[in-house]
Amino acid sequence: MSDKDSPPKPPQRAEKCLECGSDNLVHDYDTGETVCGDCGLVLYEQMMDKGPEWRAFTQEEKASRSRVGVPTSYSVHDKGLSTAISQVDRDAFGRKLPLSTRLQMWRLRKWQIRSRVHSSVDRNLAQAMAELDRLSDKVYIPPPIKEKAAIIYRKALDKGLVRGRSIAAIAAASLYASCRGSGTPRTLREISDASLVAKKDVARCYRLLLRELEVHMPIADPLTYVSKIAEKTGISGKTQGAAINILRDARRKRAAAGKDPMGLAAAALYIACLQSNEKKTQKDIAEAAGVTEVTVRNRYKTLKKQLNLELPD
């Protein structure tokens, strides 16, 4: 093919103004023009806009009109990057699909489900993340805490800690470790009761995670359990504030060292109820805290002695 028969080449975009030679070019994306900033010559007037074709004037409109998928999530076994084919056999207009199309979609749906879980690791993660979802819904865990629990479980799976152990036990232990690390007031008994595993097995897996993953947990603070116990027993906010002050005094005088945080919070609430004349018994507070009356009574005597409190008998 000769040079005469070859197709014409597209013109090169100029980097300088053709009129005055200035390189001060202004790109106006609203009108699609490129204009010289010195002499005003319009160099191009059909510039390609690579942005979306829709407009948004608020952040809510921008979020609703965006066509990207859901953000990646560690609490989904494939991190949310797979495709889900729904079981609605209708098109975009609500019309029922013909039989041949329905059969094709059924086959696609079947193989898509099989392709999502194609290895033992994926099957393990799918079962564990489903268990984490169930536990989180049952004990009211916020999504960020659930994401952290999923990361802990994935680290345990990578180190081979799940092999030979119960998936449900490791998932419950990961969730408890996430709650302890973030200060979320959830006890081991609450998570084990919501799980299908015994408390001692969850505790054993929790200690394994701390040892093998080298996770350092903060010391449990009894202040985080005050509002939880008070809500169950209907104690007023003023009494809760008094109980928090009692616990802070006990911390300064080191009267709370080595004691169960739930028992300390229950005893502080009982003392605050006595001071404010709220009629709450040790049995009511102990049942709300999940401890025995003996524990509340012993912590009550310890705080009364260490803090030199004058209380009615």
Side-chain angles (χ1 to χ4, degrees):
M1 182 183 293
S2 62
D3 294 339
K4 295 181 180 180
D5 298 333
S6 61
K9 296 181 180 180
Q12 297 288 332
R13 283 195 172 271
E15 297 181 357
K16 292 185 179 181
C17 177
L18 303 178
E19 187 74 24
C20 63
S22 173
D23 56 357
N24 182 20
L25 303 183
V26 179
H27 304 287
D28 189 351
Y29 293 97
D30 292 334
T31 60
E33 296 177 346
T34 300
V35 184
C36 176
D38 293 341
C39 67
L41 177 68
V42 178
L43 298 176
Y44 310 107
E45 56 184 0
Q46 290 183 349
M47 195 165 46
M48 182 181 295
D49 185 8
K50 297 182 180 179
E53 77 280 1
W54 45 263
R55 294 188 302 169
F57 302 100
T58 62
Q59 191 65 29
E60 289 78 11
E61 286 186 1
K62 185 176 181 181
S64 63
R65 296 181 182 180
S66 176
R67 286 191 293 271
V68 298
V70 295
T72 57
S73 173
Y74 287 100
S75 59
V76 183
H77 76 278
D78 53 7
K79 298 182 182 178
L81 298 176
S82 64
T83 302
I85 302 177
S86 67
Q87 308 220 1
V88 180
D89 295 326
R90 295 183 179 275
D91 60 8
F93 298 100
R95 296 174 299 198
K96 199 168 183 64
L97 297 174
L99 180 60
S100 59
T101 309
R102 272 183 288 165
L103 292 175
Q104 182 184 12
M105 297 308 296
W106 289 343
R107 288 192 297 270
L108 287 174
R109 190 181 302 120
K110 177 179 68 175
W111 285 106
Q112 192 268 340
I113 293 173
R114 290 180 180 178
S115 65
R116 287 181 65 185
V117 184
H118 62 277
S119 66
S120 60
V121 175
D122 291 334
R123 287 193 296 271
N124 188 304
L125 279 176
Q127 185 176 347
M129 296 305 115
E131 177 68 13
L132 267 182
D133 281 341
R134 190 187 68 82
L135 283 178
S136 301
D137 291 340
K138 205 163 185 180
V139 295
Y140 308 107
I141 299 296
I145 311 302
K146 184 174 72 172
E147 287 287 316
K148 189 175 180 181
I151 293 174
I152 294 174
Y153 185 89
R154 288 175 183 271
K155 289 181 179 179
L157 184 62
D158 291 340
K159 290 201 74 171
L161 303 181
V162 188
R163 185 182 298 275
R165 295 181 176 87
S166 169
I167 295 176
I170 299 291
S174 302
L175 188 62
Y176 178 64
S178 176
C179 292
R180 280 289 301 270
S182 60
T184 305
R186 299 293 185 277
T187 61
L188 182 62
R189 184 183 299 276
E190 288 177 341
I191 294 180
S192 62
D193 289 344
S195 177
L196 305 175
V197 189
K199 178 185 174 182
K200 63 177 183 179
D201 294 332
V202 178
R204 187 183 300 116
C205 293
Y206 169 69
R207 291 192 297 268
L208 174 72
L209 293 178
L210 296 187
R211 183 174 64 251
E212 296 296 331
L213 300 182
E214 298 180 357
V215 180
H216 301 284
M217 287 295 164
I219 299 175
D221 192 357
L223 295 176
T224 59
Y225 298 103
V226 170
S227 60
K228 181 178 180 181
I229 302 172
E231 183 181 355
K232 289 183 178 180
T233 53
I235 296 176
S236 64
K238 182 180 179 180
T239 307
Q240 293 182 43
I244 289 174
N245 291 331
I246 292 172
L247 289 174
R248 286 173 178 167
D249 292 340
R251 181 188 297 171
R252 281 195 296 268
K253 295 184 179 181
R254 298 187 179 277
K259 302 297 189 297
D260 177 31
M262 188 66 82
L264 277 173
L269 274 173
Y270 179 67
I271 293 173
C273 288
L274 291 178
Q275 291 176 341
S276 59
N277 294 324
E278 283 199 34
K279 303 298 182 181
K280 299 296 178 183
T281 62
Q282 292 181 0
K283 182 179 179 181
D284 296 336
I285 297 178
E287 288 179 353
V291 296
T292 61
E293 294 181 52
V294 177
T295 302
V296 177
R297 194 174 302 118
N298 291 337
R299 298 292 89 80
Y300 159 71
K301 292 178 181 179
T302 302
L303 291 177
K304 181 180 178 181
K305 181 180 179 181
Q306 295 286 339
L307 303 180
N308 298 320
L309 298 174
E310 296 292 335
L311 297 173
D313 294 335

